[in-house]
Amino acid sequence: MNFLNSLTLEKIFLGLVIVLIFYVILAYNGFVKRKFRVKEAWSDIEVQLKRRHDLIDNLVEIVKGYMKHESETLTKVIEARNSAIRAKNIKELGEKENILNSTLKELFLLVENYPNLKANENFLHLQQELTDTENKIQAARRFYNQMVLDYNTFLNIFPNNILNLIFRFKEEEFFDLESSTEAQKPEIKF
């Protein structure tokens, strides 16, 4: 009888060890899978930001011909764009992109003073493309932030937080960005 109890305890212990090993493997794979989802979501943002930066270059070139006396604003837009491109991390990129959004708002406010520019077909097309890109950036940002929330939550729930002490996965930062399309919304006063 003692032999059977000892054999049963060994089987239970062995079963627990096997379950624990499988859990550790599944948790580690969960960490990795979520980390790659965050990276994939970030690459979507990078693609849209690159498209936006390219559109801004084209927009500035069209506006230059009409707004010869507004070179200071154009210079601010170009400098803000270049600064955003050189950002080193997500937080800095968010700050630089928000500055770029502010300079774009200034530019679009100045465009109101140039009716010929507002009627220019190339300008209108670029403005529409920029608005479309802004919408895509916001969608990509929401998706990225959802993936970051999922990943960070997975890292911090019990017992994953204990396993993470071993694996040392780092939490990801959320990406916050203001939209420059707000400058294009008409203000209605009564």
Side-chain angles (χ1 to χ4, degrees):
M1 196 70 156
N2 228 357
F3 177 71
L4 288 176
N5 285 341
S6 146
L7 190 60
T8 305
L9 285 175
E10 287 176 4
K11 286 181 181 178
I12 291 172
F13 181 74
L14 183 61
L16 288 175
V17 168
I18 290 172
V19 167
L20 182 63
I21 289 171
F22 276 117
Y23 178 77
V24 169
I25 291 169
L26 289 173
Y28 181 82
N29 289 340
F31 291 143
V32 172
K33 180 173 73 172
R34 284 168 176 82
K35 179 78 170 171
F36 282 127
R37 282 185 185 160
V38 168
K39 285 182 179 186
E40 176 188 18
W42 181 250
S43 71
D44 291 345
I45 290 174
E46 287 179 324
V47 165
Q48 294 306 323
L49 289 176
K50 168 125 178 51
R51 181 173 187 248
R52 178 180 185 231
H53 295 153
D54 292 344
L55 287 171
I56 289 170
D57 279 347
N58 294 337
L59 185 70
V60 166
E61 287 304 313
I62 288 175
V63 170
K64 269 184 190 177
Y66 288 89
M67 299 173 65
K68 293 180 178 29
H69 303 291
E70 309 292 350
S71 62
E72 182 180 329
T73 302
L74 293 174
T75 301
K76 281 184 191 177
V77 170
I78 293 167
E79 287 173 356
R81 176 202 169 271
N82 292 340
S83 180
I85 289 172
R86 290 189 303 266
K88 304 238 185 304
N89 57 49
I90 292 173
K91 183 178 180 183
E92 182 182 356
L93 179 62
E95 292 168 358
K96 302 293 183 181
E97 287 292 335
N98 286 333
I99 292 169
L100 178 57
N101 285 341
S102 296
T103 60
L104 284 174
K105 288 176 187 178
E106 285 179 44
L107 178 65
F108 284 120
L109 286 174
L110 284 173
V111 165
E112 297 297 318
N113 299 327
Y114 296 88
N116 290 341
L117 176 58
K118 285 181 6 182
N120 180 293
E121 190 176 313
N122 289 333
F123 176 77
L124 291 173
H125 177 71
L126 278 172
Q127 190 175 24
Q128 181 58 42
E129 285 289 319
L130 191 58
T131 300
D132 181 50
T133 301
E134 293 285 341
N135 292 335
K136 289 178 181 176
I137 290 170
Q138 291 304 325
R141 184 187 61 81
R142 282 190 300 274
F143 180 69
Y144 169 79
N145 284 340
Q146 183 59 47
M147 292 297 101
V148 168
L149 177 65
D150 180 51
Y151 172 73
N152 289 347
T153 301
F154 191 77
L155 287 179
N156 289 294
I157 59 174
F158 180 80
N160 293 349
N161 57 350
I162 295 171
L163 289 175
N164 195 34
L165 293 173
I166 298 167
F167 299 133
R168 297 180 195 243
F169 284 91
K170 291 184 177 30
E171 285 191 16
E172 292 291 331
E173 291 183 51
F174 291 97
F175 186 58
D176 190 28
L177 190 63
E178 296 172 4
S179 174
S180 67
T181 56
E182 292 172 8
Q184 300 166 15
K185 294 179 184 173
E187 185 177 317
I188 301 172
K189 292 183 182 178
F190 293 101

